[in-house]
């Protein structure tokens, strides 16, 4: 599978809505303010926040959307938000690809700490983030007991990006 990160288009963002089958799933991904069910227009309104860049991870061979994530400026960090892998593509290691690609995108703007929130019950995601170097950190705002706040310092983010790029070169040389 050949993957590429690109700015998300409206059709890709609309497709995301079909990936969630309950209020819990959608709110765990998008936040408590995501109505479920909601109209396509309302979904896009909630997704497209000012100052937030939305990205699609695409299988370039099929054009299929396999992942989605956002980058915004929050807490003096590049903050990753609304990270998700397509239900039929989970378990293939694509979350690490998505996050590494988003880190590269963020660091091209400015080298600084990367942050994210994750639901405490989402042990697979927590483990994934920790494997990339993210650490549990004190939250910068009033604590939500359902969430962990995690950070990846700028130096570790650069290392993560370099490791990913090196691994990508090795894989494509095979």
């Amino acid at each position: 599978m050949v993957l590429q990160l690109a700015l998300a288009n409206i059709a890709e963002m609309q497709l995301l809505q079909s990936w969630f089958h309950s209020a819990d799933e959608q709110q765990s991904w998008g936040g408590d303010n995501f109505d479920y069910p909601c109209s396509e227009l309302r979904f896009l309104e909630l997704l497209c926040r000012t100052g937030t860049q939305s990205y699609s991870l695409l299988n370039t061979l099929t054009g299929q959307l396999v992942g989605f994530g956002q980058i915004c400026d929050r807490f003096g960090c590049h903050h990753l938000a609304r990270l998700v892998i397509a239900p039929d593509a989970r378990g293939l290691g694509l979350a690490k690809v998505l996050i590494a690609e988003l880190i590269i995108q963020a660091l091209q703007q400015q080298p600084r700490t990367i942050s994210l929130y994750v639901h405490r019950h989402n042990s697979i995601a927590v483990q994934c983030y920790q494997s990339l170097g993210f650490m549990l950190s004190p939250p910068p705002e009033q604590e939500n007991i359902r969430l962990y706040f995690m950070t990846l310092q700028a130096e570790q983010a650069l290392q993560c990006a370099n490791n990913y790029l090196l691994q990508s070169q090795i894989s494509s040389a095979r």
Side-chain angles (χ1 to χ4, degrees):
M1 186 180 319
V2 180
L3 301 169
Q4 176 184 7
L5 189 73
L7 286 172
N9 64 39
I10 297 296
E12 291 159 353
M13 289 189 271
Q14 288 173 321
L15 179 60
L16 289 176
Q17 193 171 7
S18 70
W19 292 1
F20 306 104
H21 303 290
S22 71
D24 284 345
E25 283 182 13
Q26 188 169 289
Q27 290 172 347
S28 180
W29 164 75
D32 292 340
N33 64 336
F34 259 84
D35 310 328
Y36 185 89
C38 63
S39 69
E40 280 186 359
L41 181 59
R42 177 73 176 145
F43 186 86
L44 290 173
E45 285 173 358
L46 292 167
L47 191 59
C48 298
R49 296 188 302 196
T50 303
T52 300
Q53 297 171 310
S54 296
Y55 292 93
S56 294
L57 186 65
L58 302 168
N59 177 338
T60 59
L61 301 176
T62 63
Q64 179 186 12
L65 176 67
V66 296
F68 177 86
Q70 295 180 316
I71 303 171
C72 59
D73 182 16
R74 196 167 177 201
F75 316 120
C77 302
H78 293 297
H79 189 76
L80 305 184
R82 298 184 175 142
L83 306 170
V84 66
I85 298 299
D88 62 347
R90 293 179 184 156
L92 303 174
L94 298 180
K96 288 182 181 179
V97 172
L98 173 64
I99 295 161
E101 289 282 351
L102 289 170
I103 288 170
I104 290 167
Q105 190 67 38
L107 293 176
Q108 287 175 346
Q109 297 170 23
Q110 177 185 7
R112 62 182 177 170
T113 297
I114 310 288
S115 66
L116 57 82
Y117 277 108
V118 60
H119 277 260
R120 292 174 185 237
H121 68 78
N122 193 345
S123 57
I124 293 171
V126 171
Q127 186 177 35
C128 175
Y129 303 146
Q130 287 176 327
S131 74
L132 292 168
F134 282 86
M135 307 284 290
L136 296 176
S137 301
E141 56 191 3
Q142 183 175 347
E143 186 171 7
N144 179 331
I145 60 168
R146 294 175 299 152
L147 302 174
Y148 286 129
F149 182 71
M150 300 183 80
T151 57
L152 181 66
Q153 297 303 313
E155 302 77 32
Q156 284 76 30
L158 286 167
Q159 183 68 40
C160 177
N162 287 331
N163 289 344
Y164 168 74
L165 292 171
L166 179 62
Q167 198 67 351
S168 295
Q169 289 173 348
I170 291 169
S171 294
S172 65
R174 292 182 185 161

